[in-house]
Amino acid sequence: PGTVSGGSASVAYLVPWGTSAAARLLAQALRDGVKVKSNDLAFTHMGTRYPSGTLIIDVADNSDSLAGTMAEMAASTGANVVAVDDSWVTDGPNFGSGNVVRFSNPKVAIAWDQPTSSYNAGNTRFVIERQFGFPVTAIRTSRMAEANLAGYHVIILPDERGAGYAEVLGESGIANLRDWVAKGGVLIGLGSANRFLANPQVDLLSIRREDAATDSEEPASKEEAEDEDAPVTVAGSYLTDLSAYEASITPDSTEPDSVAGVLARADVDPDHWLGAGVASPLNVLVQGTDIYTPSTIDKGVNVARFQGPDDLLVSGYIWEENRRQLAYKPFVVAEGNGRGFVVGFTQDPNYRAYMDGLNVIFMNAIFRGSAHA
């Protein structure tokens, strides 16, 4: 069980960030109405180094029963809590710095029913509700086209299947989501949901899904790939031998080979709020065919990206072409959109609810995302 060291605090309680236990404490505190804030950067207090994302629970902002509440939450969640009687920070931003954000009690919704993958939707909801004890509202995806989303701070789009989000939502649903994000919502796409978010016709994320890379051709530019005025005919050609025929029947654009499932290393940007307290590198389960271009620095941040081709594989077998193409591509991107954010996890962070090493970055997307929006 977790403990509270230092007795009863006169200034604040600090909860070092970076563990599932700390995330469970945050979820419980917000659910119970405790006022919590967090430092985006690491700091040193009384000779102890605290990681970015550390929770700061001010005594003055909360009820007189805070000491008992912190002891109960530490015991029930397993989080370690430090009571402090001094706010002096010897390194890094202090407790009242502009780098400190105050958490809201976010209302979280998840897209449900068609076209979501029932496995991914169920696993994700299980992680949030059962492993971290935070409530989630399931909304049928088709209802999002006309629903008033203003009551939600975070909406999660699980893996898509079948028709896909664009068809189920329609133009009105896409417009509704876009308007909601611009007004301060946090939209989180998991796995193949990013096919929808990164679709040029939707453009909620600027990243783009890649075709298979080849050694003989340069990939088409974004402008070429998105050109709606491409000619309906192409130049004629002579097929003079068998090799020319074989080249002619080879598709110019194909998906990368499907990966059955491997663990790959991803490095994390520790300076972004989404990477706060996240241990790097992450071990990410990679499967399927989806590989995305990185976000450019004028659009957003590649908060976690896969390592180089010689280093990324942790376990399993991956085709040589996949290994080379996946290198340095994003696992997690965050892009601002109006007053809100769109966060894309290009691989499912909640697969079968056993990817525990990815819990902190996923909880950051929910809790820290809504705090920054």
Side-chain angles (χ1 to χ4, degrees):
T3 60
V4 178
S5 59
S8 179
S10 60
V11 173
Y13 293 90
L14 305 180
V15 183
W17 192 245
T19 65
S20 294
R24 285 194 296 270
L25 186 143
L26 173 61
Q28 184 174 335
L30 297 179
R31 206 175 60 242
D32 293 346
V34 177
K35 301 294 189 296
V36 186
K37 57 188 185 182
S38 176
N39 208 323
D40 275 342
L41 300 176
F43 62 92
T44 302
H45 179 274
M46 300 297 289
T48 300
R49 188 69 173 170
Y50 291 88
S52 58
T54 291
L55 307 181
I56 304 168
I57 303 173
D58 288 327
V59 171
D61 285 348
N62 289 283
S63 70
D64 294 340
S65 60
L66 181 61
T69 299
M70 294 307 301
E72 292 173 1
M73 289 195 298
S76 64
T77 64
N80 292 321
V81 181
V82 181
V84 298
D85 299 324
D86 192 318
S87 61
W88 183 254
V89 171
T90 57
D91 178 62
N94 60 44
F95 297 173
S97 163
N99 291 293
V100 172
V101 294
R102 190 173 297 276
F103 288 104
S104 63
N105 182 12
K107 305 302 180 186
V108 181
I110 186 169
W112 209 252
D113 202 1
Q114 294 183 349
T116 68
S117 160
S118 58
Y119 290 109
N120 182 223
N123 292 338
T124 300
R125 190 174 178 184
F126 178 88
V127 167
I128 302 170
E129 290 190 332
R130 301 299 294 274
Q131 293 188 342
F132 290 91
F134 204 77
V136 179
T137 300
I139 303 177
R140 292 186 187 276
T141 310
S142 58
R143 291 281 297 153
M144 288 186 177
E146 56 190 35
N148 180 3
L149 303 176
Y152 299 99
H153 302 88
V154 178
I155 294 178
I156 300 168
L157 301 182
D159 269 332
E160 69 174 16
R161 293 291 184 269
Y165 284 106
E167 182 173 332
V168 174
L169 287 168
E171 292 184 6
S172 61
I174 295 170
N176 201 21
L177 278 179
R178 185 177 286 115
D179 180 66
W180 172 81
V181 172
K183 290 178 178 177
V186 178
L187 185 60
I188 301 173
L190 306 181
S192 60
N194 291 286
R195 295 185 177 193
F196 164 70
L197 298 176
N199 184 323
Q201 305 306 314
V202 177
D203 205 31
L204 279 163
L205 279 176
S206 67
I207 62 175
R208 295 293 181 259
R209 187 160 64 101
E210 296 185 351
D211 292 320
T214 65
D215 293 323
S216 59
E217 298 179 9
E218 290 294 323
S221 68
K222 287 185 180 180
E223 290 74 19
E224 292 171 340
E226 297 166 12
D227 184 8
E228 295 180 354
D229 299 321
V232 296
T233 60
V234 298
S237 64
Y238 293 106
L239 302 181
T240 56
D241 53 31
L242 184 59
S243 62
Y245 164 73
E246 291 173 344
S248 74
I249 65 174
T250 302
D252 290 333
S253 297
T254 61
E255 291 185 340
D257 291 330
S258 181
V259 177
V262 301
L263 289 177
R265 295 184 184 90
D267 290 326
V268 180
D269 181 354
D271 296 326
H272 192 272
W273 52 261
L274 191 52
V278 178
S280 183
L282 295 173
N283 290 333
V284 180
L285 179 66
V286 174
Q287 58 179 352
T289 62
D290 291 4
I291 299 174
Y292 288 85
T293 62
S295 179
T296 57
I297 59 175
D298 60 326
K299 297 290 187 181
V301 178
N302 304 291
V303 182
R305 61 163 177 78
F306 292 106
Q307 292 188 353
D310 296 330
D311 302 312
L312 68 84
L313 186 63
V314 178
S315 177
Y317 180 82
I318 187 171
W319 302 110
E320 172 71 6
E321 294 82 1
N322 293 93
R323 182 176 64 84
R324 292 165 57 198
Q325 188 172 351
L326 186 64
Y328 303 114
K329 300 297 170 57
F331 165 51
V332 185
V333 298
E335 297 188 354
N337 187 317
R339 297 175 62 187
F341 291 97
V342 181
V343 177
F345 288 81
T346 62
Q347 295 290 330
D348 175 15
N350 302 312
Y351 185 78
R352 294 186 179 176
Y354 68 35
M355 300 300 294
D356 294 344
L358 305 180
N359 283 344
V360 173
I361 195 168
F362 181 59
M363 291 298 120
N364 277 351
I366 295 173
F367 294 116
R368 303 187 68 78
S370 57
H372 276 270

